[in-house]
Amino acid sequence: MSIYFFDCYDGPHLYTDPEGLDCEGPAQVGQHAIRLLLDIARDNIPDGARFRRMRVIARDDAGTSVLETRLVFSTKPAPIN
């Protein structure tokens, strides 16, 4: 297993992972990144938000980015007929 670090971007805010997580390989890195991204979205989209961009970037223990997941949250009023 190798240690991977998962840095989270919520709009302009960066949260750097100081601890990392042991992962068995790329599939587990991807699963963890997606779960983190969904947790960020669930916990941080305020009522009335119109647009929000979130990312999780996974780095290996050498600091090289190995995976990026993105989520864009966007709402707009429905057209009036």
Side-chain angles (χ1 to χ4, degrees):
M1 288 210 288
S2 298
I3 294 180
Y4 291 88
F5 299 86
F6 296 85
D7 300 332
C8 301
Y9 294 81
D10 182 11
H13 306 287
L14 166 63
Y15 304 97
T16 304
D17 179 0
E19 298 177 17
L21 178 71
D22 280 328
C23 294
E24 292 180 5
Q28 191 176 20
V29 171
Q31 290 170 355
H32 185 69
I34 290 168
R35 280 194 299 272
L36 271 174
L37 193 58
L38 293 173
D39 287 344
I40 293 168
R42 183 176 27 259
D43 295 340
N44 295 306
I45 293 178
D47 292 337
R50 297 270 185 233
F51 182 82
R52 192 136 185 184
R53 182 175 295 145
M54 296 156 270
R55 294 185 296 156
V56 172
I57 297 177
R59 296 179 287 115
D60 62 16
D61 59 353
T64 303
S65 296
V66 297
L67 179 80
E68 179 176 349
T69 58
R70 293 178 181 222
L71 180 65
V72 176
F73 175 82
S74 176
T75 61
K76 64 179 182 177
I80 299 173
N81 294 334

